[in-house]
Amino acid sequence: MKKINKINRSLKIVDKIEKIRARNNRNWMDIVRLSIRLDYDKTAKLIKQIYKHDIEISSLAKKIYKK
C-alpha cells in the first residue's frame, strides 16, 4: 500500500511537470518564431545545429534501449 501511494504521488508530480513543460515549450516556440522574423539566416543555422544534436541524442538513447 505504501508503494502504491508513492507511485500515485509521483505520477501526480509528473502530470504537473508535463503541464509546466507544455507551457514552456510554447514560450520556446514563440522565441523561435520571433528569431526567424528578426534574422532568418542565423536562426536557420541554429535550428540546423539543434537538429544535429537531437540526432546524436537519439542515437545514444537507442544504445540504451537496444541492450
Side-chain angles (χ1 to χ4, degrees), residues 10-52:
S10 296
L11 289 173
K12 286 179 185 180
I13 291 170
V14 169
D15 289 342
K16 289 179 182 181
I17 292 169
E18 181 181 18
K19 288 177 186 177
I20 292 167
R21 288 183 62 87
R23 288 191 311 259
N24 198 42
N25 284 341
R26 278 194 301 270
N27 291 334
W28 277 110
M29 293 301 100
D30 287 344
I31 289 172
V32 171
R33 286 182 194 93
L34 176 61
S35 182
I36 287 171
R37 287 184 185 112
L38 295 175
D39 193 333
Y40 178 84
D41 292 333
K42 284 185 182 178
T43 302
K45 288 177 185 176
L46 288 170
I47 290 173
K48 182 179 179 180
Q49 290 303 312
I50 291 168
Y51 177 70
K52 284 182 182 180

